Amino acid sequence: QVQLVESGGGLVQPGGSLRLSCAASGSIFKIDAMGWFRQAPGKQRELVAGIGSGGTTNYADSVKGRFTISRDNAKNTVYLQMNSLKPEDTAVYYCNAGVHGKTGPRLHWGQGTQVTVSS
């Protein structure tokens, strides 16, 4: 069984920074793309950033230049460094990963971590 566990969320003032982590554990043979999504109250879940197995990245226009996604393949972990945070970044952040495990390839999601940007 594969699990994704996120950490690093919290309350931060506008202009501040946070670093989210998401570690995958369990029977993992390989991980393809990994990504971060977010969902604000009353809104649909949206892609924030993604990173391929080779390191290729993509970002939502709203976070370009402020957020950086990275991964440590040896630790099966993906990170999201968030700088210059704005109140509109407030949301529950979810990570996901395309994992090849015992039962074959499958998309897995973390449980979510709350990020609140407020003064």
Side-chain angles (χ1 to χ4, degrees):
Q1 186 174 351
V2 175
Q3 285 188 321
L4 300 185
V5 178
E6 296 126 337
S7 60
L11 172 64
V12 64
Q13 292 186 340
S17 298
L18 282 175
R19 188 191 194 211
L20 305 183
S21 300
C22 172
S25 63
S27 298
I28 298 171
F29 299 140
K30 185 179 72 168
I31 299 178
D32 293 328
M34 305 181 83
W36 288 95
F37 288 70
R38 68 186 180 187
Q39 187 166 19
K43 295 189 176 181
Q44 289 188 331
R45 189 173 297 189
E46 63 175 0
L47 173 68
V48 176
I51 184 166
S53 57
T56 303
T57 59
N58 63 289
Y59 297 92
D61 288 343
S62 59
V63 307
K64 282 181 181 176
R66 301 188 297 121
F67 291 10
T68 302
I69 189 170
S70 61
R71 63 190 286 172
D72 184 334
N73 292 330
K75 295 182 179 179
N76 291 332
T77 299
V78 62
Y79 305 96
L80 186 68
Q81 177 67 44
M82 305 185 292
N83 299 328
S84 302
L85 283 160
K86 305 175 181 180
E88 50 264 43
D89 295 317
T90 296
V92 178
Y93 284 69
Y94 300 89
C95 67
N96 75 356
V99 178
H100 294 255
K102 281 186 176 179
T103 57
R106 183 185 159 192
L107 184 65
H108 292 267
W109 289 87
Q111 81 285 355
T113 185
Q114 177 70 46
V115 171
T116 302
V117 185
S118 175
S119 55

